[in-house]
Structures are given as C-alpha cells and as structure tokens.
Amino acid sequence: MKRIDLHMHTTHSDGSYAPLDLIRYAKQKKLDCVSVTDHDTMTSVRECREEAGRLGLEFIPGIELSAKFEPGTLHLLGYFLDADHPGLQKKLVKIQKARRERNPQIIDKLQKLGVDLSLEEVIQEAYEDKEIPAGRQLGRPHFARALVKKNIVGSLQEAFHRFLAKGSPAYVDKSRLTGAEVISIIHEAGGVVSLAHPKQMKLEGEALEGEIRKLVDQGLDALEVFHSSHGPEDHAVFLRFAKRFNLVTTGGSDFHGTNKSGLDLGFLGSNIRLSYEVVEDLRKRSQKRSSS
Ligand code: AMP
Ligand code: ZN
Ligand code: FE
Ligand code: FE
C-alpha cells in the first residue's frame, strides 16, 4: 500500500523545512505521494516537483487558503491546481498583502500587552534576514518561534495559548475572503478543494452539517477526514459527512517541522493510511472540472 501525505508546509510559508529538504525527508520517511500545501503561496512548487521527480516520489501541487469563519477557523486545501495560473497569481498577491498588513498589527497587540518583540526580530528569526524574501510568507508559527527564542514563553504551544491563537489577546484576523471565493479561486486555477482539518471549525451536529452543506453547494470536492489532530471519533463523524455529500476523503499530517510540535511527516493518525484511490479521485475530479 502506498504511503500518502497530502498536507505539509515548507519554509515558503511557515514550515521549518526548505522545499528540497522536505521532499528528501518525505523520501526518507518512505512516502510515495505527497502534496505540499503552503499557506497563500505556491513558490515552492517548482523545486519540490523537480526534487520529487529525481527521487521517484509522486508530487501533487497544493495550497492552503483561509477564509472568514466563526467560531473556529476555515482552511481550504487546493490540489492539482496550476501554480502559474495568472488569475490565481493575481489573487495570491492580494491575499499576501493582507497577510503582510496583519504582521505589524500582531506586534502592536503584543507590545500593548507588555511583550518586548519587534517585527524585525520575527523576520530575522524566520528568514535570517531583515526582509521577507519575495513570495514567501510570515505566519503565526514564526511569531511563536520568536517568542520562544526570547524566552517570553516556554513553548510554541504556550505562545499560541497565551497570545496568538484565535480568541487570545494578540490574535489578529487576516482573511477577507469567503469560503465561496476561495473555492472559486482554486477551481478557476484547475484545482479541486478539500476542507482542511474540519475539527478546527469548532462546530458539531447540525451546525457542522449545515456549514459543510453550504461549502458543498459552493463546489467543495473533498473533506480532510484524516488529519494529525483528529481522533477515531472525529474520523467516524467526518466519514459520515463525506459519504453523505459524496466528498473525496483526503488526509494529511499538516507537518511544519520544528515550527509545530508533536507530529511527524506522514502521520495521519494512529494506524491510518490513505488509499491511493483518494489521489485518483482527486485527479479525476480536477480533470472533469477543467474540461467542463
Ligand atoms: P497563520 O496562517 O499565520 O494564521 O498561521 C496559521 C498556522 O498557525 C497554522 O497552520 C498552524 O500551524 C498554526 N496554529 C494556529 N493555531 C494554532 C494553535 N492553537 N496551536 C498551535 N499552532 C497553531
Ligand atoms: Zn501553518
Ligand atoms: Fe490549516
Ligand atoms: Fe496547514
């Protein structure tokens, strides 16, 4: 059975592994098929694809985009989309601008809370540089890392809990896109959309079903039933929804290297492996979308 992981991040967003290192690590972990899903950027695709080709690993271009949502978070994964699609590129520039505007606001909130941290220090910690390299992203895990580095908190988890997580005092919302907009951006670029870690929507029962139904009506193709943060009960709930709404059941570790603790590349949950049929179904659906 092939080993598949469809959710991971490189240094181009907020992972700690550079594209080449991530693909080499995937090979070392004996993975057969991976999708790299950086937040808001596809600048690592070319390098990843080439290295995967050299190592004989199947590579699926991907992305993770966030959308406006309450009470939890709504992240959507795009697969098989064209990284060079001009419409997508234009949208990403806008999304990246919103992210850049958020960064000083997080610093502002932290400083008002009495935390001594500057944006320069966060950028330096993330990129060993004074500026963010073109196309690459600064995310909350970088802020968390800088807070740990300065001994303001003891762990990344504490940084999120005390300051950065949604609902914590230095949280700043960035996304101005709706779920429907994100879905159409990915579809227009030839991709298919999976709802990432649905547990993080923080909804249950009918409320959860209602939101998933809404996304399905907007064109959702798949559900990330298997995610490193999901347990057996979550799998049961999400498998039911996937069946009800005819969604492909994707899975991924959401590996961020040392920028996110407690999970390894290829870990989709205890004893969980993804069937290769999932990849074939995603590919088929993307081809069907592109030809219609
Ligand atoms: P951003 O795109 O900058 O808002 O950052 C999102 C990333 O922050 C996610 O991919 C997670 O890796 C991380 N993250 C968000 N919430 C938490 C949390 N409560 N604990 C740990 N990491 C988190
Ligand atoms: Zn992330
Ligand atoms: Fe996410
Ligand atoms: Fe992610």
Side-chain angles (χ1 to χ4, degrees):
M1 195 176 184
K2 291 195 182 195
R3 294 203 61 181
I4 304 165
D5 188 340
L6 302 179
H7 190 160
M8 60 190 74
H9 299 270
T10 75
T11 48
H12 285 234
S13 64
D14 54 0
S16 72
Y17 281 57
L20 287 183
D21 296 330
L22 182 65
I23 298 299
R24 286 172 193 165
Y25 188 48
K27 180 73 186 175
Q28 196 186 318
K29 299 291 292 182
K30 299 196 162 46
L31 295 180
D32 302 291
C33 175
V34 295
S35 183
V36 172
T37 52
D38 276 322
H39 300 276
D40 306 343
T41 183
M42 295 188 77
T43 47
S44 75
V45 163
R46 195 191 310 163
E47 254 186 292
C48 289
R49 183 190 279 130
E50 285 175 7
E51 188 63 8
R54 271 194 288 273
L55 298 178
L57 223 122
E58 183 173 357
F59 174 80
I60 297 165
I63 195 166
E64 183 172 14
L65 297 171
S66 13
K68 242 181 264 179
F69 194 72
E70 291 295 336
T73 57
L74 174 57
H75 290 181
L76 294 156
L77 296 159
Y79 294 118
F80 289 110
L81 68 181
D82 172 12
D84 301 317
H85 186 272
L88 172 71
Q89 287 303 331
K90 235 166 95 182
K91 293 278 175 28
L92 289 182
V93 168
K94 270 198 194 158
I95 295 168
Q96 291 167 2
K97 185 161 170 276
R99 183 180 273 283
R100 272 197 303 277
E101 285 167 2
R102 179 181 70 160
N103 295 331
Q105 296 173 24
I106 297 178
I107 292 294
D108 214 47
K109 283 201 170 175
L110 285 170
Q111 288 178 348
K112 287 203 172 102
L113 291 163
V115 173
D116 171 31
L117 184 73
S118 69
L119 189 56
E120 290 69 30
E121 285 172 310
V122 181
I123 297 172
Q124 180 73 41
E125 173 62 18
Y127 290 111
E128 292 170 6
D129 207 338
K130 288 194 176 65
E131 279 174 51
I132 306 168
R136 294 168 66 170
Q137 308 306 311
L138 201 70
R140 281 180 287 157
H142 293 129
F143 287 81
R145 216 166 92 180
L147 288 167
V148 171
K149 177 85 176 285
K150 289 198 83 180
N151 283 320
I152 293 162
V153 294
S155 67
L156 299 171
Q157 215 35 58
E158 188 189 342
F160 273 95
H161 185 72
R162 270 180 60 196
F163 299 113
L164 302 167
K166 191 166 187 173
S168 296
Y171 175 77
V172 181
D173 198 8
K174 76 177 180 302
S175 177
R176 277 154 215 146
L177 293 172
T178 62
E181 285 168 326
V182 170
I183 290 172
S184 81
I185 289 170
I186 294 169
H187 282 166
E188 276 167 31
V192 287
V193 185
S194 184
L195 170 54
H197 41 64
K199 189 180 185 170
Q200 290 175 28
M201 292 167 101
K202 299 210 159 92
L203 290 175
E204 281 173 27
E206 277 176 27
L208 176 63
E209 177 168 352
E211 287 301 327
I212 294 178
R213 185 188 303 275
K214 213 156 69 184
L215 292 164
V216 169
D217 290 341
Q218 292 161 351
L220 187 73
D221 304 279
L223 192 60
E224 194 180 45
V225 171
F226 306 104
H227 181 268
S228 49
S229 70
H230 292 173
E233 295 97 48
D234 303 313
H235 299 154
V237 170
F238 298 132
L239 277 173
R240 227 173 330 112
F241 285 129
K243 200 155 183 202
R244 184 167 314 157
F245 296 116
N246 186 29
L247 298 167
V248 181
T249 55
T250 69
S253 63
D254 209 354
F255 182 68
H256 285 67
T258 55
N259 288 346
K260 186 173 184 176
S261 45
L263 66 109
D264 202 352
L265 191 64
F267 177 75
L268 273 53
S270 299
N271 297 317
I272 299 290
R273 290 268 185 109
L274 214 58
S275 153
Y276 190 69
E277 232 175 279
V278 166
V279 175
E280 287 171 333
D281 286 348
L282 289 175
R283 189 183 287 116
K284 260 187 247 157
R285 289 202 192 202
S286 76
Q287 286 165 348
K288 206 159 139 200
R289 284 208 178 275
S290 306
S291 63
S292 63

